[in-house]
Amino acid sequence: MTENPDSTGQASGGGQQQELTVRLTVPEMDCPSCAQKVDKSLQRVDGVVDTTLQPTTGTASVTYDSERTGEADVVKAIEGAGYEVVGGPASDADEQAEMGGGADIAPPSEVWTSPRAMKTWIGAALVTFGLLFEFLLTAQNIAVASVLGYPLAVADVLFLGAVAASGAPVVRSGYYSAKNLSLDIDLLMGTAIIAATGIGYFVEAATLAVLFSIAELLEDYAMDRARDSLRELMELSPDKATVMRDGEEVTVPADEVAVGETVVVRPGDKIPLDGTVVEGESAVDQSPITGESVPVDKSAGDEVYAGAINEEGYLEVEVTSTSGDSTLSRIIEMVQGAQAKKTDTEQFVDRFSGYYTPVVVVLAILTAAIPPLVIADPVSVSVAGYGVTFAGDWQTWFIRGLTLLVIACPCAFVISTPVSVVSGITSAAKNGVLIKGGNYLEAMGGVDAVAVDKTGTLTKGELAVTDVVPAGDTDAATLLSHAAGLERRSEHPIATAILARANEEGVDDLPDLTGFESLTGKGIRGKIDGETYYAGKPALFEELGFDLSRARRETDGVPGSGATGASSAHRSDGGIVPEETAASDDGAFAEDALAALEREGKTVVIVGTESKLLGAIAIADEVRPASKQAVQRLQELGVERVVMLTGDNEGTARAIADAVGVDEYRAELLPDEKVDAVEELQAEYGEVAMVGDGINDAPALATAEVGIAMGAAGTDTALETADIALMGDDIGKLPYLYELSHTANGVIRQNIWVSLGAKFLLALGVPLGLVSVALAVVVGDMGMSLGVTGNAMRLSRIEPDRFFDA
């Protein structure tokens, strides 16, 4: 349990309202109806401002005005709903730590040895002996007592003992439900047990109490298993860290390590905090964070993440974020937040169950009361070939009404969606995919088209200069010098590549630059020696008045008149092209020179002034080996259209598109034009997912139904802007995400319709006498709840395809 003051506070009656948030662990709050009961109890506390209840984690977050109420009142209200708070206000820090922090997820429960389980086993034993005396040892089933003149046989006493043992917790929960005006399974079952006992139907009352108690234990077990996936995620973060302080190694709690301190990580240890390697080399297993199946080599200067495992070497890591602000902490926080948000399907189910339960309860009452009044003599009818007799005795119809009360419980129907969402989101997180909400999980499974940014997504995003093509009388050194001088103030990856090439060629005497300006989507400009120079796309220089039509003309590899052909315009080894072969006699580029570069998927940057071209520099970005396989897999899984969006030129876009196998591509797009492209895809195909880097593509990510950021580990902006984040730089996770989401949608539909269908069929069979109380509990309640939970848990078995990048 934690308590945090509200960061802002709110004015109240001229004063300052101090809002505090307390997070409490409520393990037994494990279903939506439980949460509803707790919420109603909390709303009656004067001063409670907001509540966030998460049955899937067994936690409650309550914000309250400390001037009007306190934490003890909040705990009392939850206990007033019938649920124990683990670690109350008086619990100390050690107890909180022992319970796993108390606020993140309920601790594992000993389902089969709990007090509730013991009472259930006692009740089951008593029912077994009672049935033995009732039907087999009838001679020994003698009267041993009487109550209000009603004789009680041995079997009756045993059945009443079973009701007392197994039914008492049910009746107690039903009392709290009635107290909080919550028409839920506990109230229905508690009422049924009391009614059956009150009119002497001891066998039915005892059977109902024991079977329902067993059903509750099985549901508790299933929910505990569902919570295990999140517990495993939380356990990735180490509690301790070995820190270098005053020249000595000291082991301290991880949350006491400050930014800037150095932690020591030995082979086999988990990295305790995000940081940068300052000494040592090792292979690090980052799969808990990024989902990468192969360890990544780390050395000085490389980033590492909390929760990753140091495989073999010794590392010293300078801490860059505290334990509460690490990438792993943010992942856990977002996963928990995602589970707290109800999907559209969940909201529909909640609304439906609000009508379903009262309607079936009314039908149960009518079933018990009306037939005995209107059926004077037994009536025999044929239903589906079977002879069914309707009699008018009160006992028969009371039992049938009782059975409908059991069927009125919507538990399996209500939990069908949240358990599927929890299973899907936590499974994705363990495989390096962060889904921020169930709505996005559902939406991703229904997308018709996927738009993919090129740079850093389909390609590695590591640009390098491949060709230097001087023009006219300019030499290569001058071209590189002016290009690097212009680009050194830019943060674009192209600038980095040009500066790196200039450094490799020994061009370090760069001209002074003034008046630098970025021309969005086109290039840059600045003044060198008082004259304005430009570096950018060929289209930029065509706007300045240059005629580049000959150089950009497509000749299909056939040399033009007076030109040396494509091969003379550049060298495949990436060397500098001799000036005499790079330009035509009129001082421009050779015919087809630029087109040849663009056909090979290279980005062409031209450098010059408004009156003179210095030359062109070709830059290439390597296609990820996994891109083609990922695109092909998406198409196999049923995605109607995979479209590449890029700001690069037509030739580069076409070459990359052909290499990876996308259905279509759109080139030379400015950021706002990518938004237009997404909207066009939405109009043509339906729902669209956009995959980008989470920063430059933010507008397009926001426009699409689902925005997916690549390589989000350690990147705050990407984690915040996208709906879904692929933590590693692995495009191969995209088919996994679609398959998981698509399967999750199928599981949710199966759970909803199967649970509803089972309830409907059982309800039809009740008036015909084909469904007993035991069958209603075992199939309609226990069976369906276990079924939907088990069906949801199979989402965790979906594994990403392994497309290994070279």
Side-chain angles (χ1 to χ4, degrees):
M1 167 174 34
T2 59
E3 189 172 55
N4 303 309
D6 185 84
S7 58
T8 58
Q10 298 177 2
S12 178
Q16 189 72 12
Q17 177 179 314
Q18 183 67 24
E19 290 183 0
L20 301 178
T21 298
V22 60
R23 296 181 178 88
L24 302 164
T25 304
V26 191
E28 295 174 354
M29 185 184 68
D30 55 10
C31 66
S33 63
C34 303
Q36 184 182 51
K37 198 187 307 183
V38 171
D39 186 58
K40 287 183 177 180
S41 183
L42 285 170
Q43 294 308 318
R44 288 199 292 271
V45 178
D46 180 41
V48 169
V49 178
D50 185 46
T51 60
T52 301
L53 307 175
Q54 293 181 256
T56 51
T57 59
T59 58
S61 178
V62 184
T63 302
Y64 61 92
D65 177 6
S66 60
E67 297 295 324
R68 295 155 60 196
T69 191
E71 183 180 323
D73 296 324
V74 171
V75 172
K76 185 177 179 181
I78 295 175
E79 291 175 342
Y83 298 97
E84 179 187 5
V85 176
V86 174
S91 64
D92 58 23
D94 291 337
E95 182 182 350
Q96 288 297 319
E98 190 177 324
M99 298 310 299
D104 298 313
I105 188 169
S109 58
E110 300 296 331
V111 176
W112 307 116
T113 57
S114 65
R116 174 73 178 269
M118 294 299 100
K119 294 175 182 177
T120 301
W121 307 142
I122 293 171
L126 291 173
V127 165
T128 302
F129 284 114
L131 293 173
L132 187 65
F133 277 96
E134 182 79 14
F135 298 105
L136 294 178
L137 304 176
T138 53
Q140 286 77 31
N141 190 26
I142 59 175
V144 293
S146 67
V147 176
L148 300 177
Y150 185 89
L152 296 178
V154 173
D156 296 329
V157 173
L158 291 171
F159 289 136
L160 286 172
V163 170
S166 298
V170 181
V171 173
R172 174 180 176 275
S173 296
Y175 161 74
Y176 284 113
S177 297
K179 179 181 175 183
N180 290 284
L181 303 178
S182 179
L183 184 60
D184 59 13
I185 184 63
D186 294 322
L187 178 57
L188 296 177
M189 291 296 185
T191 301
I193 291 170
I194 291 173
T197 305
I199 62 173
Y201 295 166
F202 301 140
V203 176
E204 289 78 6
T207 303
L208 182 57
V210 170
L211 287 178
F212 180 68
S213 292
I214 293 174
E216 289 285 276
L217 291 175
L218 287 169
E219 288 175 16
D220 290 345
Y221 174 72
M223 179 57 72
D224 202 54
R225 288 286 304 276
R227 290 172 179 173
D228 278 344
S229 57
L230 186 55
R231 291 193 192 102
E232 289 171 9
L233 189 63
M234 295 177 62
E235 288 169 1
L236 293 173
S237 185
D239 297 325
K240 304 288 184 180
T242 302
V243 191
M244 296 293 293
R245 290 179 178 173
D246 299 326
E248 295 183 0
E249 295 183 8
V250 182
T251 300
V252 299
D255 56 9
E256 293 182 7
V257 181
V259 172
E261 290 195 279
T262 300
V263 296
V264 174
V265 188
R266 291 186 167 78
D269 289 349
K270 287 182 181 179
I271 296 171
L273 299 151
D274 286 2
T276 303
V277 177
V278 292
E279 186 176 326
E281 295 182 357
S282 183
V284 174
D285 178 6
Q286 296 187 156
S287 59
I289 310 301
T290 64
E292 294 168 288
S293 58
V294 178
V296 180
D297 292 333
K298 299 289 184 179
S299 57
D302 290 334
E303 275 189 310
V304 291
Y305 307 113
I309 302 169
N310 183 21
E311 292 280 320
E312 51 195 31
Y314 170 88
L315 294 176
E316 290 186 9
V317 177
E318 182 180 336
V319 175
T320 57
S321 66
T322 60
S323 62
D325 198 35
S326 68
T327 299
L328 180 59
S329 296
R330 291 200 300 274
I331 291 173
I332 294 171
E333 182 181 347
M334 288 183 178
V335 168
Q336 289 178 309
Q339 295 172 359
K341 301 172 186 173
K342 287 191 176 182
T343 68
D344 292 340
T345 304
E346 283 182 89
Q347 292 175 22
F348 162 75
V349 167
D350 286 347
R351 289 194 300 271
F352 183 89
S353 63
Y355 294 103
Y356 167 83
T357 302
V359 167
V360 179
V361 168
V362 170
L363 287 176
I365 295 171
L366 294 177
T367 298
I370 301 300
L373 296 177
V374 299
I375 301 176
D377 300 311
V379 179
S380 297
V381 297
S382 178
V383 179
Y386 293 94
V388 178
T389 300
F390 292 96
D393 61 293
W394 285 96
Q395 179 176 353
T396 298
W397 290 104
F398 177 82
I399 297 299
R400 291 176 184 179
L402 202 65
T403 307
L404 270 180
L405 270 187
V406 175
I407 294 171
C409 168
C411 275
F413 176 60
V414 171
I415 69 171
S416 58
T417 300
V419 294
S420 303
V421 169
V422 169
S423 179
I425 288 177
T426 53
S427 175
K430 287 189 289 186
N431 283 294
V433 179
L434 179 59
I435 304 174
K436 293 187 179 179
N439 271 340
Y440 305 124
L441 178 70
E442 289 184 351
M444 185 62 201
V447 298
D448 304 294
V450 176
V452 188
D453 180 52
K454 178 184 78 69
T455 305
T457 304
L458 293 174
T459 63
K460 289 187 175 181
E462 299 170 358
L463 301 180
V465 173
T466 59
D467 306 88
V468 179
V469 187
D473 58 357
T474 305
D475 59 40
T478 301
L479 172 58
L480 273 175
S481 173
H482 282 71
L486 285 166
E487 297 283 6
R488 64 180 169 181
R489 290 196 184 179
S490 172
E491 297 181 357
H492 197 281
I494 286 178
T496 303
I498 291 175
L499 287 166
R501 182 56 178 268
N503 184 57
E504 289 174 12
E505 298 293 337
V507 180
D508 50 13
D509 186 18
L510 305 184
D512 293 330
L513 180 72
T514 59
F516 173 83
E517 184 181 355
S518 176
L519 307 174
T520 304
K522 299 177 181 179
I524 58 174
R525 67 182 171 195
K527 289 188 176 182
I528 297 176
D529 296 330
E531 187 173 5
T532 301
Y533 280 79
Y534 296 82
K537 296 179 178 180
L540 171 62
F541 285 84
E542 288 177 335
E543 288 182 9
L544 294 173
F546 289 94
D547 182 6
L548 301 176
S549 58
R550 290 179 70 251
R552 303 189 75 188
R553 183 181 302 144
E554 297 283 356
T555 63
D556 296 326
V558 180
S561 175
T564 56
S567 61
S568 68
H570 66 283
R571 291 222 315 258
S572 60
D573 63 359
I576 296 178
V577 181
E579 302 92 88
E580 61 268 22
T581 63
S584 62
D585 294 338
D586 62 1
F589 298 104
E591 184 173 358
D592 194 37
L594 302 183
L597 296 171
E598 292 175 347
R599 275 198 303 271
E600 295 181 4
K602 298 174 181 178
T603 297
V604 176
V605 175
I606 297 179
V607 182
T609 65
E610 293 180 0
S611 58
K612 180 182 178 182
L613 297 178
L614 298 185
I617 296 175
I619 296 163
D621 182 9
E622 185 180 355
V623 174
R624 295 180 188 273
S627 294
K628 184 173 183 178
Q629 295 168 292
V631 170
Q632 182 180 356
R633 182 65 178 142
L634 281 173
Q635 293 163 337
E636 290 172 354
L637 289 170
V639 175
E640 187 176 347
R641 207 75 174 164
V642 181
V643 182
M644 184 183 78
L645 306 181
T646 179
D648 270 340
N649 60 71
E650 179 78 14
T652 300
R654 182 170 58 251
I656 301 297
D658 290 343
V660 301
V662 294
D663 296 304
E664 65 177 276
Y665 67 89
R666 304 192 183 188
E668 301 183 11
L669 299 177
L670 298 175
D672 59 327
E673 292 173 329
K674 287 187 179 181
V675 172
D676 295 337
V678 170
E679 291 175 343
E680 289 170 11
L681 290 172
Q682 289 170 326
E684 187 172 356
Y685 298 106
E687 296 190 2
V688 174
M690 172 69 193
V691 189
D693 61 12
I695 303 172
N696 298 331
D697 299 311
L701 291 173
T703 303
E705 275 75 17
V706 184
I708 305 169
M710 277 278 293
T715 307
D716 291 343
T717 306
L719 282 173
E720 291 167 4
T721 57
D723 305 319
I724 298 175
L726 307 183
M727 302 305 293
D729 244 356
D730 184 5
I731 187 66
K733 293 292 174 60
L734 195 55
Y736 160 74
L737 169 62
Y738 178 79
E739 183 180 10
L740 176 72
S741 302
H742 190 71
T743 305
N745 284 348
V747 166
I748 290 170
R749 285 193 296 270
Q750 292 164 12
N751 284 349
I752 290 174
W753 292 114
V754 169
S755 57
L756 268 183
K759 295 279 189 182
F760 178 73
L761 290 175
L762 289 171
L764 284 181
V766 169
L768 303 176
L770 302 176
V771 177
S772 65
V773 172
L775 184 64
V777 174
V778 172
V779 176
D781 182 57
M782 175 171 61
M784 282 297 98
S785 295
L786 291 177
V788 299
T789 304
N791 194 31
M793 296 314 293
R794 69 186 177 90
L795 292 174
S796 62
R797 296 198 293 270
I798 298 176
E799 295 288 340
D801 294 305
R802 298 301 180 186
F803 303 137
F804 295 109
D805 277 357

